[in-house]
Amino acid sequence: MLSFCSVVIPQSFFSISLPHFPLPTFQSHSPPSFFLRKSVNLGCTRESPSIKIHSSLTVDVAVEEKKLPKGETWSVHKFGGTCVGSSLRINNVADVIINDDSERKLVVVSAMSKVTDMMYELINKAQSQDKSYISALDAVAEKHSLTAHELFDGNDLATFLSNLHQDVGNLKAMLQAIDIAGHATESFTDLIVGHGELWSAQILSYVVKKKGTPCNWMDTREVLVVNPTRADQVDPDYLETEQRLNEWYSLNPSKVIIATGFIASTPQNIPTTLKRDGSDFSAAIMGALFKARQVTIWTDVDGVYSADPRKVSDAVILKTLSYQEAWEMSYFGANVLHPRTISPVIRYGIPIIIRNIFNTSASGTKICHPSIIENEDRKILTNYVKGFTTIDNLALINVEGTGMAGVPGTASTIFSAVKEVGANVIMISQASSEHSVCFAVPEKEVKAVSEVLQSIFHSALYAGCLSQVAVIPNCSILAAVGQKMASTPGVSATLFNALAKANINILAIAQGCSEYNVTVVLKREDAIKALRAVHSRFYYSETTIAMGIIGPGLIGSTLLDQLRDQASTLKEESNIDLRVMGIMGSKLMLLDDSGIDLVKWREIREENGEVADMEKFVQHVHGNHFIPNTVLVDCTADSVIASNYDDWLRKGIHVITPNKKANSGPLNEYLRLRALQRQSYTHYFYEATVGAGLPIIGTLRGLLETGDKILQIEGIFSGTLSYIFNNFKDGRVFSEVVAEAKEAGYTEPDPRDDLSGTDVARKVIILARESGLKLELSDIPVENLVPEQLRVSASAQEFMQNLPKFDQELSKKQEDADTAGEVLRYVGVVDVINQKGSVELRRYKKDHPFAQLSGSDNIIAFTTRRYRYQPLIVRGPGAGAQVTAGGIFSDILRLASYLGAPS
């Protein structure tokens, strides 16, 4: 359609006047169309010191009015600053635009990377009379000039550089005015910082045209109208904006439009911005106005993560989110979108796609109505919690008192006072008893809030109606977000269980009836650990455990080999993810942030091992990774290492060990460890301390926990001594059998360590204490098989050389037993009835279970009230690296089960 309009511009002008100081000279390369819409600028003149544009020419202009088509033919793209941060990236963006097969495309573009910050810095310099703003502005201009030179040439380049030069001249004049005044108004600031978007939009439009695709660029200040609501927020005027958009399009019809993000105008045509993250908001508004098929937000990540990947290494990209889920995650600090970005598109059900400009093969995250998610993703709705976010640097304020109960208006008084000081309430929680109200505010605002509440409730506090207005500083919020939480029982229970098992205390809880999120307040130092704990519970492996192995000797290295062989099976079949983060020996240790390669750990330790440092080792395994559950496995027999168990348990570190020193040491230390174990979710497992891989401790506890009463525990607890006395027969002498056992590797390097009976005594005292007896190791009489004269031998070699001299005594005992149809066995005994224990050489009939052993087997007999006449027997290999490591591994899996792994 062709129509004619007469444009008459009489002797008129518009001007910018700044009182009290000389006005700078401005240049303008085009009249602002928000003053002269649907007009043609002919015969303009420029004057100083104020800007004046006037004309007296009247013409008839033919205007072809093009109606703006709306609907799914349009797709909207938004490219952030990193996407257009260099000439190469701008070129890539142009390719993405051209390769989009949508019929029509609107592209919203941010300023080049860091430019907006640079523009704000110019204003700060000018306000402080720092003249370096001139050179800083020149640097910004040079950045854009060089980018343009690299991307296009000819008339397009000349036009852009001319416009850039005029803009820079105007900006220098405005900055000079700010320098003189010492202050920048909000409108001046918005006008200056918005130039980054103007330049990037022009550059991109020239690049798209150079590649053969016609397009127009839009200064959105001509179209987008917003009403300021407060200092950091504006509301779009959709009716006025739509009218201006239709007018703009009638003059600039195009199938590809490159629009500036971030900037807009007020109803009075004063330039303004949509504040921080405003480009996303611009794209959503445009998507709604065009009723587009979708809005794609291009960033530098593959989509929305289930948690902050800087804090949770196993965070995953979410394929879909509902609008509500995205809004909740944004509100609670997730780097998804600004919460206001979502509101314009909800009305028309326009999906928002978050995609990575640097990885266009990734499909990204789709934010849309729940019904669309259900249809597209019906088979994958297994995680009812979609994401986890945290907000740090908060304080919790608790207003408490019996006088609050049933008194109308108390909450209103509290939050009216909070509003007066301009504080932002992040979360509110109130008990149904109305005895207390607590709420979270940013830490920087807590002082003002506390003071105003103390003032308002001064009389109530004095009278005792209120007991306190308490401030709990250094807090963080953890929010779990998910649309399916509302219809799924047990989600909150699972969340709280994961926090409890990670030894994390909750200060406050809030949950709306819609159940889109569950919010908890925690101590700030627990926030990352809590985030990892709940994420680990809901995503991938239900149980992820960080492990530190201490003592990679025979038993420790065997355990590492077993972990290597079984790790993938456990992860695939049982959802147990075991990661060895550190291995420490007496001299060297090996640390790794993501888990040590157990196939090559020996070689890696030789190449990259560092000096062993227990404090650094524990800190690395427990505090310097993304896994909430930590276990230290002590495979040594070192009492110094065992002395650390108490500290580790208090820090929330689980402990597993075959080391007998802690449980057979001073009674008070043992009782303290057991009390710690019972009082928290931190576990201390030591099955391998008594029977290597045999379930001795587990059997004993099972009997006691089911109400049985232990009468006596008797057993052959030493695999070494079992082997020796099983083979001490048929005329063989004792020293010969000991030498054979040493040669076969059954004994310690010095056989006296076995023959002394101390190791058996430690096992006896452990079982005695587990049975409820309060005995010290010194209370256990031990029959020492090392001849008294040889106990001071200088070496194991000297001992072995002299041992044959003492064979006669034990040979006599063996012959006497054999004559009586009996055998000799070295046993430990726990006599619960008489509350004592002993370690001694005893004789048993040849048909007794203890006489039926072979090799190095152990055997333990439990005589209880239920098993009084026929003791419960546990028998099997009780020594050797494989079975001992297997016993430790079994404890590790038991820990995983306690932490939530399926049984």
Side-chain angles (χ1 to χ4, degrees), residues 341-642:
T341 303
I342 299 164
S343 57
V345 298
I346 292 179
R347 178 180 176 186
Y348 300 104
I350 300 169
I352 297 176
I353 316 294
I354 311 295
R355 294 190 63 188
N356 189 349
I357 188 65
F358 306 115
N359 182 20
T360 54
S361 62
S363 59
T365 300
K366 185 174 188 177
I367 301 170
C368 54
H369 276 310
S371 58
I372 299 175
I373 295 174
E374 295 263 2
N375 293 334
E376 292 188 356
D377 213 13
R378 192 177 299 277
K379 296 181 180 179
I380 313 178
L381 286 174
T382 53
N383 277 330
Y384 307 112
V385 178
K386 281 291 188 74
F388 301 91
T389 64
T390 56
I391 305 177
D392 296 324
N393 303 316
L394 301 176
L396 197 62
I397 297 179
N398 185 41
V399 182
E400 184 178 315
T402 55
M404 293 173 59
V407 179
T410 304
S412 174
T413 302
I414 292 171
F415 295 112
S416 295
V418 174
K419 181 181 178 182
E420 280 182 20
V421 297
N424 182 28
V425 177
I426 308 295
M427 188 210 80
I428 304 169
S429 180
Q430 179 176 6
S432 59
S433 65
E434 301 181 52
H435 177 70
S436 68
V437 175
C438 70
F439 55 95
V441 298
E443 209 154 52
K444 63 184 179 182
E445 299 171 355
V446 69
K447 183 179 179 183
V449 174
S450 176
E451 287 175 353
V452 73
L453 291 177
Q454 293 281 356
S455 174
I456 288 175
F457 291 114
H458 175 76
S459 298
L461 288 165
Y462 182 78
C465 298
L466 288 184
S467 57
Q468 63 173 347
V469 176
V471 174
I472 305 172
N474 303 318
C475 295
S476 292
I477 276 179
L478 168 67
V481 176
Q483 182 130 356
K484 298 295 288 184
M485 293 165 62
S487 57
T488 308
V491 172
S492 295
T494 303
L495 177 76
F496 298 139
N497 187 256
L499 293 172
K501 289 184 175 181
N503 212 32
I504 292 168
N505 186 41
I506 297 172
L507 302 177
I509 303 168
Q511 177 178 353
C513 60
S514 66
E515 206 177 341
Y516 281 110
N517 86 71
V518 177
T519 304
V520 296
V521 181
L522 316 155
K523 293 180 181 176
R524 186 189 302 163
E525 60 264 30
D526 289 335
I528 293 179
K529 182 181 177 184
L531 182 62
R532 294 168 184 169
V534 296
H535 189 275
S536 175
R537 183 65 183 85
F538 281 91
Y539 275 93
Y540 282 128
S541 169
E542 291 197 351
T543 308
T544 306
I545 303 176
M547 301 176 62
I549 308 296
I550 303 172
L554 181 60
I555 293 173
S557 60
T558 303
L559 173 62
L560 287 165
D561 291 342
Q562 292 179 357
L563 288 168
R564 174 201 64 204
D565 297 339
Q566 198 65 12
S568 61
T569 302
L570 288 172
K571 192 169 184 178
E572 292 170 9
E573 297 182 4
S574 302
N575 287 333
I576 298 173
D577 186 1
L578 304 176
R579 303 187 195 179
V580 177
M581 315 298 288
I583 300 171
M584 190 177 84
S586 57
K587 296 179 180 179
L588 290 176
M589 67 180 181
L590 177 63
L591 307 176
D592 191 281
D593 287 330
S594 57
I596 296 168
D597 182 355
L598 297 186
V599 175
K600 301 183 292 185
W601 72 267
R602 293 174 178 86
E603 295 87 341
I604 298 171
R605 187 178 64 151
E606 289 300 316
E607 294 174 8
N608 303 325
E610 53 187 286
V611 176
D613 181 329
M614 179 63 76
E615 184 177 350
K616 182 178 180 181
F617 179 82
V618 173
Q619 171 61 27
H620 172 83
V621 176
H622 182 51
N624 191 30
H625 57 84
F626 294 95
I627 304 170
N629 302 305
T630 305
V631 61
L632 292 176
V633 182
D634 174 18
C635 296
T636 74
D638 193 319
S639 58
V640 175
I641 292 176

Side-chain angles (χ1 to χ4, degrees), residues 881-895:
Q882 287 291 337
V883 294
T884 303
I888 300 168
F889 202 164
S890 178
D891 271 349
I892 293 170
L893 297 181
R894 184 154 67 105
L895 172 65

Side-chain angles (χ1 to χ4, degrees), residues 736-892:
E736 177 190 340
V737 179
V738 172
E740 178 182 277
K742 186 175 186 299
E743 183 69 22
Y746 285 113
T747 73
E748 295 292 334
D750 188 337
R752 286 176 294 182
D753 293 338
D754 298 296
L755 298 175
S756 68
T758 302
D759 185 67
V760 176
R762 288 188 181 279
K763 295 177 181 180
V764 167
I765 199 67
I766 290 171
L767 291 175
R769 289 172 175 177
E770 292 290 312
S771 301
L773 303 184
K774 292 181 169 54
L775 299 177
E776 296 284 2
L777 185 60
S778 58
D779 296 328
I780 307 296
V782 179
E783 183 175 346
N784 193 332
L785 298 180
V786 180
E788 190 169 350
Q789 297 93 320
L790 300 184
R791 294 174 191 173
V792 294
S793 296
S795 66
Q797 183 180 5
E798 181 183 330
F799 165 73
M800 292 301 297
Q801 287 174 348
N802 291 307
L803 184 60
K805 299 175 184 178
F806 300 88
D807 280 338
Q808 186 176 356
E809 181 180 350
L810 276 175
S811 292
K812 178 70 167 57
K813 288 184 178 182
Q814 194 277 329
E815 291 171 3
D816 291 346
D818 189 55
T819 302
E822 296 174 335
V823 296
L824 293 179
R825 294 293 182 261
Y826 194 77
V827 298
V829 179
V830 178
D831 185 347
V832 178
I833 294 175
N834 296 306
Q835 299 191 7
K836 64 180 183 178
S838 63
V839 176
E840 58 191 6
L841 195 61
R842 284 187 174 184
R843 288 162 52 165
Y844 294 90
K845 292 293 183 180
K846 290 185 178 181
D847 60 354
H848 191 279
F850 285 15
Q852 308 300 314
L853 293 183
S854 60
S856 60
D857 279 4
N858 284 6
I859 187 168
I860 295 90
F862 293 92
T863 303
T864 73
R865 187 170 55 194
R866 295 175 188 158
Y867 298 93
R868 181 187 296 269
Y869 303 109
Q870 188 171 351
L872 175 63
I873 302 289
V874 178
R875 172 182 170 174
Q882 287 291 337
V883 294
T884 303
I888 300 168
F889 202 164
S890 178
D891 271 349
I892 293 170

